[in-house]
């Protein structure tokens, strides 16, 4: 099996598994926040363009906690077309956070629902199936072709006289190696 097919399969399966775990963890956080999350109203403090991808904007926000502290964070905003709502500095945002760990929070409207999880898992199963098919159908490594002419079926032994040669007459001595 070539190294390229193996490497591609490992990367594809690894990336798929990492994405699937992250998706399931986000869904688990959504379920926890629905059961025990507290509401907070926050504010956008800055919006900047992503230097990796110009179509994304990084939105930084802050929201206060009842004990007087505040939680700061950021999220990526994608340009989805005409219907996307783009926020600007000073806009209000609503959050859900866990009372025992406020750093585990989500923006209201950015929850990961069951349909999203099922769609993502289905897509990732398809990708993993393609990776396995790629791995199974990869050509196996073959021995390199021999260089030079192919040896004859009849290999002669040069240690003794050829079977076609006449035997030496009796009484004549030959030197070793003179045939």
């Amino acid at each position: 099996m070539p190294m390229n097919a193996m490497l591609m399969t490992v990367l594809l399966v690894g990336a798929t598994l990492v994405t699937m775990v992250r998706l399931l963890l986000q869904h688990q956080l959504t379920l926890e926040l629905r059961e025990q999350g507290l509401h907070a109203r926050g504010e956008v403090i800055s919006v900047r363009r992503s230097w990796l991808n110009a179509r994304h904007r990084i939105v930084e926000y802050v929201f206060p906690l009842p004990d007087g502290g505040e939680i700061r964070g950021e999220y990526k905003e994608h340009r989805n077309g005409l219907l996307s709502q783009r926020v600007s500095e000073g806009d209000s945002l609503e959050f859900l956070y866990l009372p025992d760990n406020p750093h585990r929070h989500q923006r209201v409207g950015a929850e990961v629902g069951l349909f999203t999880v099922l769609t993502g898992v289905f897509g990732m199963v398809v990708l993993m199936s393609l990776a396995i098919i790629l791995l199974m159908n990869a050509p196996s490594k073959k021995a390199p072709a021999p260089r030079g002419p192919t040896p004859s079926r009849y290999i002669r032994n040069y240690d003794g006289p050829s079977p076609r040669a006449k035997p030496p007459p009796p009484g004549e001595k030959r030197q070793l190696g003179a045939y």
Side-chain angles (χ1 to χ4, degrees), residues 75-116:
Y75 67 92
K76 225 185 284 187
E77 186 179 71
H78 304 279
R79 193 181 314 174
N80 291 336
L82 299 173
L83 299 176
S84 66
Q85 290 183 337
R86 297 177 65 97
V87 297
S88 58
E89 287 185 32
D91 284 354
S92 179
L93 297 173
E94 191 175 344
F95 295 93
L96 284 172
Y97 67 93
L98 293 175
D100 56 333
N101 187 2
H103 290 284
R104 292 193 46 153
H105 61 275
Q106 276 182 342
R107 206 170 22 99
V108 172
E111 297 93 355
V112 177
L114 185 60
F115 180 73
T116 305

Side-chain angles (χ1 to χ4, degrees), residues 108-125:
V108 172
E111 297 93 355
V112 177
L114 185 60
F115 180 73
T116 305
V117 171
L118 292 177
T119 305
V121 168
F122 176 75
M124 290 176 216
V125 166

Side-chain angles (χ1 to χ4, degrees), residues 25-26 32 39 54 63 68 72 82 92 101 157:
L25 288 175
Q26 280 296 111
E32 285 182 49
H39 284 274
F63 65 89
R72 293 178 177 269
L82 299 173
S92 179
N101 187 2
N157 185 358

Side-chain angles (χ1 to χ4, degrees), residues 21-40:
V21 167
R22 289 189 67 200
L23 189 63
L24 290 172
L25 288 175
Q26 280 296 111
H27 180 65
Q28 181 184 9
L29 177 62
T30 298
L31 294 178
E32 285 182 49
L33 289 171
R34 283 183 187 163
E35 288 179 11
Q36 42 183 302
L38 299 176
H39 284 274

